[in-house]
Amino acid sequence: WGLFSSKSIERLAILKEYRGKKIKHSEEFLLEIFYRFTDQNLFFFQLNKENILDATFSGNPSRLINHSCDPICFSRCIKHGFKNSIIIVSLNKIS
């Protein structure tokens, strides 16, 4: 798993929006127990103080980016309009 591209990606390019089902922090604990009990991989990303994005079943491929000890990307929470989002940004040029 990871990020692969047939084209060069410039430094600080926005690669993808991290998507998933918005859940409350209070739901996270029970979902984590259920996912671990059913041997599922967990893809949780904290959106803000109240909410988490759960990309386990309803996410996009961005959930597979940056699971590395030597990351090539970073994330940022941004607000546009009335929506909070998480974007994945390239740390360096990716060839």
Side-chain angles (χ1 to χ4, degrees):
W1 302 104
L3 177 65
F4 299 93
S5 176
S6 59
K7 300 176 186 174
S8 274
I9 298 172
E10 292 300 315
R11 179 178 183 266
L12 301 179
I14 296 174
L15 302 174
K16 201 111 173 113
E17 178 183 0
Y18 190 93
R19 292 200 178 160
K21 180 181 176 187
K22 192 183 332 182
I23 61 170
K24 298 286 183 193
H25 274 281
S26 57
E27 297 174 81
E28 176 195 13
F29 179 72
L30 292 175
L31 274 174
E32 182 175 350
I33 291 171
F34 173 73
Y35 290 160
R36 291 190 189 281
F37 183 75
T38 57
D39 204 28
Q40 296 293 325
N41 292 318
L42 292 115
F43 295 98
F44 291 154
F45 210 125
Q46 185 170 331
L47 182 59
N48 53 37
K49 291 180 182 180
E50 297 86 30
N51 298 300
I52 291 172
L53 292 180
D54 176 5
T56 305
F57 294 108
S58 60
N60 62 0
S62 65
R63 68 186 178 175
L64 305 174
I65 296 175
N66 225 34
H67 291 262
S68 170
C69 295
D70 189 20
I72 59 170
C73 307
F74 64 94
S75 62
R76 284 291 176 260
C77 291
I78 61 168
K79 184 172 185 166
H80 54 93
F82 295 103
K83 181 181 173 193
N84 289 324
S85 296
I86 297 170
I87 57 171
I88 309 296
V89 181
S90 61
L91 188 57
N92 297 307
K93 185 173 181 174
I94 302 169
S95 303

